[in-house]
Structures are given as C-alpha cells and as structure tokens.
Amino acid sequence: AFSPFRSLRYDPARFAPEDVTAPPYDVLSADDRRALVAKNPHNAVLIDLPTDDDGPDRYAEAGHRLRAWTAEGVLALDGAPELTAYRMTTTDDLGNPVATLGVLGALTLSRPDEGEILPHEHTTPKAKSDRLDLLRGTRANLSAIWGLSLAHGLSALLDVDRPPFQAWTDEDGTLHETWRITDPGQLAAISESIASQPLVIADGHHRYETSLAYRDERRAADGTGGAADATLCYVVELSDEQLTVRPIHRLVHGFGDLDLAEAMASLPGSSIVGTATADEVGDGRVLLQMRDHGAVAVVGRDGSAVLVALDPAAYPEVDDLDSARLAAALDRVGPHELAYQHGTDRAQAAATSGSADWAVLIRPVTVAAIEANAHSGKRMPPKSTFFYPKPRTGIVFRSID
C-alpha cells in the first residue's frame, strides 16, 4: 500500500528550501555537511547525519533536535494526510534537459520474498546500525527511499499543471519543485495506481532493510508496528520519460603492469573497436562512442581510452549488462580489486592520478533492462545503476512516533 500521511514540513514563511534541504546523507563529506549547516542552523543534515560533535549519544540528540524544532514551530505538522508531488529538472551527461516526476508518500513495508517490493540489484556490504540507531533516536523517516512503479500512467495522475508549492535550484543547478496533493479523489487514484503493481527499489536498499528491522523491533516491543509498518518513499513511474540512469564506472586495482585493454581484448569474443582522447573521456563524449560501438572503455594513466567490445555470446551465463559482462571478463583476466565511481571525469581522474590502475567505463543500464529484471525477479550486479538527480532530504519528514 502507498498512503498519504501528515508530513512534518519546514515553515515556508520562515525557511527557504534551498537553505534547509540537503543531498542524501551518504554522498556528503564532512566539508559538505559544514557548508550546509553554515547556510542555516536548522538544515536537515543536522538530524539526518548526526556526528560525534553532537555528544556521546548523537542519535538521541538528533531526536531531541527534531522534537525541539517541532515544538518551536520550525517544523509544522500537516493538518491532514497529504501526498507531495516532486519534480527534479536537470541535464544528462551530454547536456540534454531531463526531468524526473514522482510522489512522496508512505509505503507499507514487505519483505522481498513477498513479491510486492522488489530489490533491483545486489548491495555491497555496509553497516546498517547507523540508520537503525537514527530511527530509534528520532522515531521518524528523514530521507526517502526511491521506488520505481511498474504501474504505467502514474505520472499522468500527478497534478503539476499549476504553480508549485515550492521551487528552488540547488548547488548543482538542479531545479526542484513540489506540489501538495490534498484532493481525496487524486489521493485515492495515486494510491490505487501504485498499489496495483509491484514496486522496485531503485535507491535506498539499506534504508529499506533497516526500516524492516525497525518495524520488527516495534512489533516485538509493542505488539504492533504502528506507523513503523511503513516508510517514507519517493515513487517514480518506471519509464524512459521519467528516469535518467547514469552508469557507475569501475576502478580497477591489482593487475600491475598488465595492459588491461589488450588483456581483455585477447579474451574469446572480445576485440578493440576504437579509441577516445582524454578530452572525449573527460567531457563524456566517449559515452556516445561506447553506445555506437557497443563497448566498454578502458582508461589508462594518460586519460585516453581504448574501446573494447565484449560479445554477449561469449558470456551466456551472465545478464546482458556491461556491469555483469565486465565482472566476468575481469575475473578471466585474473585476481583484482574493484571500486566504484560515477562520472567519466571522476573515473578518468582516478586513473590519471594513480589512485586506480585503470578505470573502465560502462554504458548506462536501460529502463527496459531494469523493467525486465524486475519482472524476472533477478538482481543486477552491485552498483549497476546511478539514478540522477537525487531527491533532497528535508522536503518532508514522517513521524513514526
């Protein structure tokens, strides 16, 4: 089920959203956090990303701060349950304008084997205690997970042909717009549409698993999960029109002086099909060449790239994805270590600086492939997709007290 709820929102008369909202906690450095707090001493990052500076029990302190802000009127509770339409408009890797429109609401939790909520890729190990301790301390959903709805037509139900409730541009130039949805007919239609089809978790797998763990804790302690039976979720229709999927490139360590492009090209079904200059890698034009040649790009110390095609027929045991074929190809080359980096310029910088032996650029996963995987119930390899832009934290909070 997907339901409206009474949101905690910053008082719009006192706070501009560009000053109090924040990027997701897991992309922020210490310097990023300090810059956000300098913007406004009520920035959402103070409760969503508590630090040791907040004292020995920083999670309880985050809860105290959230409750104090509510008591002081920094945050106000909606008078009735609402949904919030939310659109992000930006440019893709090649400078083309793109927009993502979805809706914020309360998603009823279910385990992956129950068929209603489907993870779409394997996750890398990450400590979940931080988010669980934060749930215990604040008793609130602070940042939304991102779900992809298989219900076609959801976007058309979101009434955004009117002035937005709030609109602002963030530090990266992305335009954010929100609309409050209060009409009972619209609320029912949106909820019914999302409930009619399974939902795929696009981003926030760890937060989802943490929400399940917290729900079970509450059920054991209270006999019922109550509001913890659901979590805050940003739901977007799974369609090309609404999603910008960027690749997450691979940083490779451990092959020593081996020429990785030559080694990969020597594998059965592989061949070198082109090259790209350092400038073409840095500004992303290499992605067009990769698309046209059906290839990955191996970036070396000078920042240029060699395009290597990996024939799917040579990898019948893996999914038809660059991430899966590349993992299999690298395993055939020999023992190695991987790290992950989005952005052709950042991956290139890792190779040229020597922090990685090589960078291997992969093509973005298509929306069609994501949908096919969702229906099959299979998971993609870790770090196959990077959905962009990222929803801001602080548009709404959801109390589970």
Side-chain angles (χ1 to χ4, degrees), residues 105-188:
L107 177 71
T108 301
L109 295 162
S110 70
R111 298 201 172 278
D113 59 2
E114 293 170 9
E116 295 178 19
I117 312 295
L118 309 173
H120 95 279
E121 66 182 25
H122 291 284
T123 56
T124 53
K126 183 192 290 185
K128 301 184 183 70
S129 62
D130 168 67
R131 293 295 101 180
L132 185 54
D133 287 339
L134 189 63
L135 270 174
R136 291 167 178 156
T138 62
R139 295 174 78 93
N141 298 139
L142 304 176
S143 56
I145 66 166
W146 190 340
L148 304 177
S149 174
L150 300 178
H152 297 298
L154 170 63
S155 305
L157 297 175
L158 304 179
D159 177 18
V160 296
D161 293 327
R162 53 189 170 111
F165 169 61
Q166 291 184 311
W168 73 100
T169 301
D170 70 17
E171 58 276 359
D172 294 324
T174 297
L175 172 64
H176 300 263
E177 300 168 286
T178 65
W179 293 262
R180 295 171 72 163
I181 302 173
T182 58
D183 178 78
Q186 291 181 27
L187 293 174

Side-chain angles (χ1 to χ4, degrees), residues 36 55 175 177 215 272:
L36 289 164
L175 172 64
E177 300 168 286
R215 177 200 69 176
I272 292 174

Side-chain angles (χ1 to χ4, degrees), residues 240-255:
D240 285 309
E241 291 76 22
Q242 298 302 339
L243 289 173
T244 301
V245 189
R246 291 182 171 179
I248 303 179
H249 306 301
R250 275 45 180 163
L251 306 180
V252 185
H253 307 259
F255 286 132

Side-chain angles (χ1 to χ4, degrees), residues 89-101:
T89 304
T90 187
T91 55
D92 65 15
D93 281 327
L94 300 173
N96 302 309
V98 290
T100 297
L101 173 64

Side-chain angles (χ1 to χ4, degrees), residues 120-123 319 321 323 365-366 369-371 373 378-385:
H120 95 279
E121 66 182 25
H122 291 284
T123 56
D319 291 331
L321 302 168
S323 56
V365 176
T366 65
I370 295 170
E371 183 164 6
N373 255 61
K378 297 169 66 178
R379 297 197 197 191
M380 294 181 180
K383 304 293 185 182
S384 290
T385 53

Side-chain angles (χ1 to χ4, degrees), residues 249-283:
H249 306 301
R250 275 45 180 163
L251 306 180
V252 185
H253 307 259
F255 286 132
D257 295 330
L258 181 73
D259 185 319
L260 183 57
E262 292 287 350
M264 287 171 56
S266 70
L267 298 172
S270 302
S271 60
I272 292 174
V273 293
T275 59
T277 67
D279 285 345
E280 289 169 332
V281 173
D283 63 19

Side-chain angles (χ1 to χ4, degrees), residues 33-47:
R33 186 183 186 277
R34 280 190 286 270
L36 289 164
V37 175
K39 273 187 176 183
N40 193 289
H42 296 93
N43 190 281
V45 75
L46 281 166
I47 52 175

